[in-house]
Amino acid sequence: MAGYKENEMMAIRAGRFIKDGDVVFVGTGLSMLAAMAGKRIYAPNAILFFETGGIDPSLEEIPMCVSDLRVMYGSSLNSGLIESFSIVGHKKLRTIAFLGAAQIDRYGNLNTTCIGNYLKPKVRFPGSGGACDVAALASGFIVFMQHEKRRFVEKLDYLTSVGWYKGWDSRIKLGLKRGGVIAVVTNLCVMKFDEITKEMYLAEYYPGVSIEKIVENTGIQIDVSRAIETTPPTDEELRILREEVDPQRLILGKK
Amino acid sequence: MSEHNGLTQKFTTLEEAVKKFIKSGSIVAIGGFTVSRNPMALAYEIIRQGIRDLHIVCHSHGQALDVLIGAGCVKRLEIAYGGNGRYAPTCVRFRKAIERGEIEFEDYSNYQMSLRFLAGALGIPFIPTKSGLGSDILTKEGFSPQTRREKNVARKKLVVLQNPFTEEEDPIVLLPALTPDVTILHAQYVGEDGTVRIKGLTFADIEQAKAANAVIVTCEEIVSRAFIRSDPDQNCLPPFFVDAIVKVPYGAHPTACFGFYDYDPKHLNYYRKVAEDDTEFKKYLDEWVYGLSSHTQYLEKVGIQTLIKLKASPVTGYAIGLERK
């Protein structure tokens, strides 16, 4: 037994991407855990903010969504959507966003809209929300995925949020001057993107997870030659996540 | 007409406000965001009055939108997100209505919808953004060509063109402004003079209100003119933007209202469950909407014990330690 859950590994690994001074755009669920853990453990001067307009709240209890009253307490500013999007794309800030998705392709483009035909979908998801916006405007974004074959696809059913678009310099050619997808954090591994081609590759596998298992569960061909093992969560990381970030285990769930 | 007379007419009831301003076919913007400050009492009243064919315009919406769709009040939707956070990652009746082809819909993003309301509020016909480039928001359309020819519907979903202020290649997305017939929202305070004060996050409520032809505000409390004007920096809308005001304590339940009460996790979880089944959902509407003739009855049904549990701490603005699973 590893002594920790998959979602704890995911939250901690994603939190390690946050650098001190980053302005972090936080969504619902795992991204809330990663951002709150990251700030408490590695980046005390990071600022967490929400698309709803809550800027740097004290987050003494974990919010269950981005409009939760808990993002409005102890904040430096309570504002609105227009204000929060003026932060996401601000050129003097390094803004990092966490996003989730139902589908992802090899260039890190995301689908959170539907499976099947757009007009009469097999499954409908909530839609873009602010995801399309932050993917376009932030300095970079990190994606959470459940690692299943059907979620890693050659062609998205709907492209909601642009990552590296069609690879190489196609994102910049679209007219998006900065940003792009930094990494994909799944329940098995971390994927990153080649600096030149912008194609997804396996960067890290979690302790106890085989590369074969990852390849089996990925619906697209990926390069695994650069993969290393992820540093497991430390006792201190786990303590902060469990005792300070989500003591009620609202998002972490049962032990 | 003196200010006083105009004001007297503005303070009204849920029934009168909906009857006067919302008709079948109206374009309606809903204030709030997912599970915060949804104008629920107004949504229930719209359902009770049997209003149909609404064209809803919103950014990220949850409970009020979902109940209206489930009750069959909505024909058309322009939206960025239909969800209740952890309590329904995708709103159930919204999802079903789209999967069954029961409503017309058009997808945008939150920033895009907020900008469209801002453009409406400023009286400009369209507004540019970088957001959306490369995405299927640009390539896939939900509204039919017939719908696009209708009065009050923009002729196009959006347009991509070259930034006219530079020689460099610089594509931008132009979005049509939104000017709803009515915006409905729930605020914490309205002054006796009609001034509106929203506490906590305002989301896009102010832009939505200013963009609309008429605005209905429900509120937790009506406070004196002297009180609301003693700290005007806290206020959001001057009286002349507001057409109807109704005092409705707990008017956002089961969604949250900063400083007054939290969202109701039990109710939202229950709702998600019953919304999955058509028969159960019909029963829910009978029990919680059609079967109740007033908001007072609604609150009696919610029950004093629940209301006490949800009561916000005056320090934090939310219910500390609330059981939220």
Side-chain angles (χ1 to χ4, degrees):
Chain A
M1 267 305 287
Y4 52 86
K5 287 179 66 175
E6 270 180 2
N7 62 9
E8 291 174 327
M9 178 75 246
M10 290 172 82
I12 286 166
R13 181 60 193 91
R16 290 175 186 163
F17 280 104
I18 301 173
K19 296 194 177 75
D20 220 16
D22 281 357
V23 178
V24 186
F25 177 101
V26 190
T28 303
L30 264 178
S31 105
M32 205 81 78
L33 292 181
M36 288 171 72
K39 180 175 165 76
R40 281 169 202 250
I41 302 166
Y42 328 99
N45 297 308
I47 302 249
L48 309 191
F49 82 108
F50 299 82
E51 66 180 302
T52 45
I55 298 163
D56 202 20
S58 59
L59 299 177
E60 288 173 19
E61 288 188 6
I62 200 155
M64 297 292 260
C65 60
V66 296
S67 72
D68 196 304
L69 303 182
R70 288 150 192 81
V71 311
M72 309 181 197
Y73 173 60
S75 44
S76 100
L77 187 68
N78 280 342
S79 60
L81 275 76
I82 296 279
E83 289 84 351
S84 83
F85 286 112
S86 73
I87 295 171
V88 174
H90 203 289
K91 59 186 175 190
K92 77 175 187 187
L93 303 173
R94 192 181 117 97
T95 52
I96 298 297
F98 288 106
L99 302 173
Q103 283 183 330
I104 188 167
D105 70 13
R106 68 171 61 250
Y107 299 112
N109 304 301
L110 308 178
N111 173 12
T112 53
T113 303
C114 64
I115 299 292
N117 179 286
Y118 174 61
L119 289 175
K120 192 105 196 304
K122 212 169 97 198
V123 186
R124 172 69 203 205
F125 300 116
S128 160
C132 170
D133 309 308
V134 297
L137 304 171
S139 311
F141 64 95
I142 292 153
V143 187
F144 282 110
M145 292 296 298
Q146 277 303 309
H147 210 126
E148 295 169 27
K149 210 168 189 165
R150 61 186 179 131
R151 295 178 183 273
F152 288 77
V153 297
E154 285 297 346
K155 186 162 176 20
L156 302 173
D157 289 36
Y158 187 101
L159 197 169
T160 315
S161 307
V162 174
W164 295 115
Y165 195 45
K166 292 175 180 170
W168 303 88
D169 59 352
S170 61
R171 179 183 166 95
I172 291 171
K173 283 196 172 147
L174 268 180
L176 301 175
K177 305 281 189 219
R178 72 168 191 177
V181 50
I182 298 166
V184 184
V185 176
T186 82
N187 49 314
L188 302 178
C189 65
V190 176
M191 310 276 206
K192 288 186 180 168
F193 295 85
D194 186 84
E195 282 192 22
I196 309 289
T197 66
K198 308 296 185 193
E199 272 190 63
M200 187 188 290
Y201 68 88
L202 180 66
E204 296 175 22
Y205 49 92
Y206 297 156
V209 176
S210 70
I211 292 179
E212 291 71 39
K213 186 176 177 186
I214 294 165
V215 170
E216 256 169 48
N217 286 284
T218 309
I220 50 176
Q221 290 252 318
I222 45 161
D223 171 23
V224 300
S225 65
R226 287 171 264 185
I228 56 165
E229 188 176 278
T230 306
T231 310
T234 65
D235 290 348
E236 180 63 1
E237 284 173 325
L238 286 169
R239 187 193 65 75
I240 289 175
L241 182 66
R242 291 168 181 171
E243 294 175 20
E244 292 183 18
V245 174
D246 189 13
Q248 292 174 285
R249 300 193 74 86
L250 292 172
I251 295 170
L252 286 172
K254 287 201 182 94
K255 278 181 195 166
Chain B
M1 189 167 58
S2 77
E3 190 195 3
H4 181 74
N5 284 340
L7 262 175
T8 313
Q9 286 165 11
K10 282 184 191 178
F11 288 99
T12 181
T13 62
L14 286 169
E15 200 186 341
E16 287 304 316
V18 170
K19 213 174 260 174
K20 187 166 176 194
F21 292 103
I22 304 180
K23 311 269 180 274
S24 288
S26 290
I27 300 179
V28 179
I30 309 175
F33 194 105
T34 61
V35 294
S36 251
R37 256 186 335 87
N38 285 210
M40 294 307 300
L42 278 168
Y44 298 143
E45 183 58 29
I46 290 169
I47 296 170
R48 272 194 289 265
Q49 291 194 18
I51 291 167
R52 287 287 184 270
D53 296 333
L54 292 178
H55 176 160
I56 303 278
V57 287
C58 58
H59 41 78
S60 284
H61 266 282
Q63 194 63 14
L65 172 75
D66 205 56
V67 174
L68 285 169
I69 291 176
C73 305
V74 181
K75 179 186 182 186
R76 202 172 275 165
L77 188 57
E78 296 181 62
I79 189 170
Y81 188 91
N84 266 350
R86 297 286 284 184
Y87 300 106
T90 307
C91 276
V92 179
R93 301 309 301 190
F94 157 80
R95 171 168 60 73
K96 283 183 186 293
I98 289 184
E99 288 170 1
R100 292 169 177 175
E102 291 169 350
I103 52 173
E104 295 175 56
F105 61 96
E106 197 71 275
D107 274 277
Y108 289 92
S109 70
N110 272 349
Y111 191 25
Q112 290 173 339
M113 288 304 283
S114 305
L115 287 172
R116 296 183 66 200
F117 287 118
L118 178 64
L122 294 174
I124 55 178
F126 50 80
I127 193 162
T129 179
K130 281 282 179 184
S131 187
L133 291 170
S135 78
D136 280 336
I137 290 176
L138 265 57
T139 59
K140 296 209 159 94
E141 291 191 31
F143 284 2
S144 67
Q146 295 94 293
T147 300
R148 287 283 168 206
R149 280 195 291 273
E150 279 187 32
K151 194 173 157 263
N152 299 330
V153 177
R155 288 294 171 268
K156 289 178 178 169
K157 181 181 180 183
L158 42 75
V159 173
V160 179
L161 49 74
Q162 160 69 20
N163 175 358
F165 298 101
T166 178
E167 286 153 3
E168 282 169 39
E169 196 179 318
D170 189 28
I172 48 167
V173 182
L174 288 191
L175 303 162
L178 275 171
T179 50
D181 295 318
V182 195
T183 288
I184 58 174
L185 61 93
H186 185 74
Q188 281 85 350
Y189 302 101
V190 176
E192 280 172 351
D193 65 344
T195 298
V196 178
R197 178 176 297 181
I198 293 171
K199 298 294 292 173
L201 301 178
T202 50
F203 310 121
D205 285 21
I206 300 167
E207 291 83 5
Q208 285 178 323
K210 289 176 179 168
N213 294 323
V215 177
I216 307 175
V217 179
T218 54
C219 63
E220 293 297 320
E221 285 189 21
I222 289 173
V223 295
S224 73
R225 180 189 165 102
F227 176 83
I228 206 111
R229 290 186 180 229
S230 66
D231 194 3
D233 300 7
Q234 296 288 312
N235 299 338
C236 300
L237 288 168
F240 48 79
F241 277 119
V242 184
D243 299 275
I245 300 158
V246 192
K247 180 179 170 177
V248 190
Y250 287 93
H253 178 274
T255 69
C257 185
F258 186 70
F260 281 80
Y261 46 91
D262 225 310
Y263 45 73
D264 187 340
K266 238 180 172 170
H267 194 106
L268 293 170
N269 284 328
Y270 173 69
Y271 178 89
R272 183 187 58 222
K273 218 174 91 200
V274 297
E276 285 290 351
D277 182 276
D278 290 353
T279 314
E280 289 294 309
F281 184 72
K282 201 181 159 294
K283 271 195 238 163
Y284 174 90
L285 287 181
D286 284 338
E287 200 183 328
W288 288 92
V289 186
Y290 295 116
L292 305 171
S293 59
S294 69
H295 188 67
T296 313
Q297 273 192 9
Y298 177 87
L299 291 185
E300 277 168 13
K301 189 166 169 55
V302 174
I304 189 72
Q305 277 166 334
T306 299
L307 295 180
I308 288 169
K309 273 186 200 152
L310 302 181
K311 190 177 182 305
S313 148
V315 177
T316 61
Y318 56 83
I320 297 168
L322 175 69
E323 175 59 60
R324 292 188 289 138
K325 273 183 185 144

